[in-house]
C-alpha cells in the first residue's frame, strides 16, 4: 500500500530548517506522486539548486531501505543521481539527491527507451560491488524459494545488482540516457539476475517471454549464464511474487506481477501460453 505523502508545508518548521541548512532557502516545493514507499517525496527548488528529498519516519518498518540507499550511493554515481546529504531530524530520516530532469522509462514493445535501459544495466554491471552489511545476499534473500538449497550457489556472485527494474525506477533524460533510482534492495550476486529482473518487467509491459529475453540475450551477464541458473531464479522469483500477492489479494499490481513471473518461469519449461 502506498504511503500518504507529506507536503512541504506540512513538514515541521525544524525539519524544514534542517533541510534548508543543506539546500539554501527553498523557493518552491512540489510533492512527487510517483512511487509508493516514501512518506516524503519532494522536489525542492532552492537557492542551491534543485534537490529531490525522500524520507521515512525513523520508526517505519521500511526504514532500513533509507540506509541501503545511503550507503550504496557513493558507488553508483555512474548510473544514478548523486546523494548530496543524509540527515535525521524530528523523527524523520531524509535523503537529499541530485535532481535529474527526466521521465520514467517506457518498456512497451517498440519503445525507443529500451536500448538505453539495457546499456545502463550493462554499465552498472561494471561497478565493483562493495562488501557492506546493508547489501543483500541471494543465499538469504531467495533461500525460502528454491527447490534445493544447493541451487542458491548458482545465484551467488560478486556483481552489484539493483534487483528492481520497475520502469518507475528508471529515468530517461533529455539526451536519452537512462538513470537508475531507488536503491532499496541492493544485492551482491550473480550477474545475470538484473537481466532476469528486466525480462519479467518487460513481459509485464506487453512483451512475450521470448521477445523480452531477446533484449538481454547479448549482454555478457546473460550470455555467459547457465540456462539452469536462470531457470532457478525464474522459479524462485515467481514464488516470491506468489507469496506477496497472497499476502495482499486486494493489490492488483502484485497479482499481475505474480501472473507475469509465473508465465515467464513456465515459458522456460515450455508450458506457457503461446499468446497473451
Amino acid at each position: 500500500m502506498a504511503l500518504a505523502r507529506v507536503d512541504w508545508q506540512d513538514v515541521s518548521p525544524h525539519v524544514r530548517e534542517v533541510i534548508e541548512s543543506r539546500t539554501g532557502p527553498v523557493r518552491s516545493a512540489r510533492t512527487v506522486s510517483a512511487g509508493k514507499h516514501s512518506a516524503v517525496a519532494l522536489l525542492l527548488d532552492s537557492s542551491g539548486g534543485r534537490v529531490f528529498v525522500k524520507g521515512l519516519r525513523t520508526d517505519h518498518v521500511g526504514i532500513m531501505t533509507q540506509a541501503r540507499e545511503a550507503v550504496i550511493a557513493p558507488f553508483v554515481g555512474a548510473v544514478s543521481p548523486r546523494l548530496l546529504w543524509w540527515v535525521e531530524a524530528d523523527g524523520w530520516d531524509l535523503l537529499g539527491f541530485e535532481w535529474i530532469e527526466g521521465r520514467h522509462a517506457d518498456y512497451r514493445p517498440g519503445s525507443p527507451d529500451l536500448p538505453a535501459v539495457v546499456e545502463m544495466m550493462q554499465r552498472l554491471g561494471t561497478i565493483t560491488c562493495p562488501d557492506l552489511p546493508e547489501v543483500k545476499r541471494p543465499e538469504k534473500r531467495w533461500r525460502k524459494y528454491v527447490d534445493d538449497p544447493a541451487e542458491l550457489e548458482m545465484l551467488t556472485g560478486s556483481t552489484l545488482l539493483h534487483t528492481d527494474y520497475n520502469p518507475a525506477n528508471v529515468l530517461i533524460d533529455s539526451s536519452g540516457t537512462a538513470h537508475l533510482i531507488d536503491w532499496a534492495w541492493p544485492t551482491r550476486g550473480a550477474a545475470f539476475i538484473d537481466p532476469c529482473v528486466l525480462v519479467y518487467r518487460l513481459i509485464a509491459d506487453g512483451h512475450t517471454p521470448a521477445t523480452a529475453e531477446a533484449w538481454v540475450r547479448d549482454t555478457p551477464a546473460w550470455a555467459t549464464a547457465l540456462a539452469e541458473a536462470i531457470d532457478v531464479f525464474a522459479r524462485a522469483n515467481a514464488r516470491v511474487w506468489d507469496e506477496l500477492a497472497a499476502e495482499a489479494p486486494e493489490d492488483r499490481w502484485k497479482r499481475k506481477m505474480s501472473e507475469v513471473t509465473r508465465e515467464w518461469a513456465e515459458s522456460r519449461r515450455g508450458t506457457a501460453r503461446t499468446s497473451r
Side-chain angles (χ1 to χ4, degrees):
M1 181 180 295
L3 290 176
R5 289 282 154 84
V6 178
D7 297 328
W8 176 247
Q9 64 268 24
D10 297 321
V11 174
S12 73
H14 176 62
V15 172
R16 291 201 301 268
E17 180 182 337
V18 169
I19 291 173
E20 289 185 307
S21 72
R22 287 152 176 81
T23 64
V26 171
R27 296 188 286 250
S28 66
R30 174 168 63 86
T31 298
V32 177
S33 59
K36 297 182 177 182
H37 304 301
S38 294
V40 171
L42 295 167
L43 170 58
L44 303 181
D45 187 357
S46 73
S47 62
R50 303 178 89 192
V51 180
F52 175 64
V53 180
K54 66 184 300 186
L56 286 171
R57 298 290 304 183
T58 55
D59 60 356
H60 188 271
V61 65
I63 190 61
M64 180 53 71
T65 62
Q66 291 277 114
R68 291 182 194 135
E69 289 209 60
V71 300
I72 207 66
F75 301 93
V76 297
V79 295
S80 299
R82 290 179 299 122
L83 177 66
L84 305 175
W85 43 264
W86 180 22
V87 67
E88 186 176 312
D90 277 1
W92 285 98
D93 187 290
L94 301 163
L95 300 169
F97 286 97
E98 167 191 24
W99 173 258
I100 291 180
E101 190 69 45
R103 56 175 174 78
H104 297 301
D106 179 356
Y107 281 3
R108 291 173 296 179
S111 168
D113 295 345
L114 297 178
V117 175
V118 174
E119 188 276 333
M120 178 268 295
M121 183 177 65
Q122 292 189 86
R123 276 189 286 126
L124 172 59
T126 67
I127 298 173
T128 300
C129 185
D131 188 10
L132 298 170
E134 293 85 358
V135 175
K136 308 290 281 185
R137 298 296 194 275
E139 54 269 30
K140 291 185 177 180
R141 189 168 171 185
W142 289 291
R143 176 176 293 277
K144 289 171 51 180
Y145 307 102
V146 294
D147 294 326
D148 183 337
E151 293 178 333
L152 290 166
E153 183 64 28
M154 287 186 274
L155 305 183
T156 61
S158 59
T159 298
L160 175 58
L161 307 166
H162 182 275
T163 71
D164 188 1
Y165 276 77
N166 185 324
N169 290 339
V170 180
L171 296 177
I172 306 295
D173 68 20
S174 59
S175 72
T177 300
H179 305 265
L180 198 54
I181 61 174
D182 199 356
W183 280 87
W185 296 97
T187 300
R188 180 186 176 100
F192 67 83
I193 290 176
D194 265 3
C196 285
V197 174
L198 180 58
V199 164
Y200 75 77
R201 289 292 183 174
L202 294 180
I203 297 170
D205 271 10
H207 296 254
T208 67
T211 59
E213 288 190 6
W215 275 104
V216 301
R217 68 185 173 200
D218 292 331
T219 64
W222 184 277
T224 58
L226 294 174
E228 181 185 2
I230 295 172
D231 294 344
V232 166
F233 179 81
R235 290 194 300 269
N237 187 58
R239 290 164 184 161
V240 171
W241 282 105
D242 282 347
E243 181 176 275
L244 292 171
E247 291 172 351
E250 75 289 350
D251 191 324
R252 290 188 297 174
W253 174 72
K254 289 180 180 177
R255 292 203 310 271
K256 177 181 178 179
M257 296 310 299
S258 172
E259 293 167 1
V260 163
T261 53
R262 275 190 281 112
E263 178 183 3
W264 180 46
E266 290 167 2
S267 76
R268 295 192 58 84
R269 294 198 297 264
T271 59
R273 295 168 297 168
T274 57
S275 61
R276 294 184 61 79

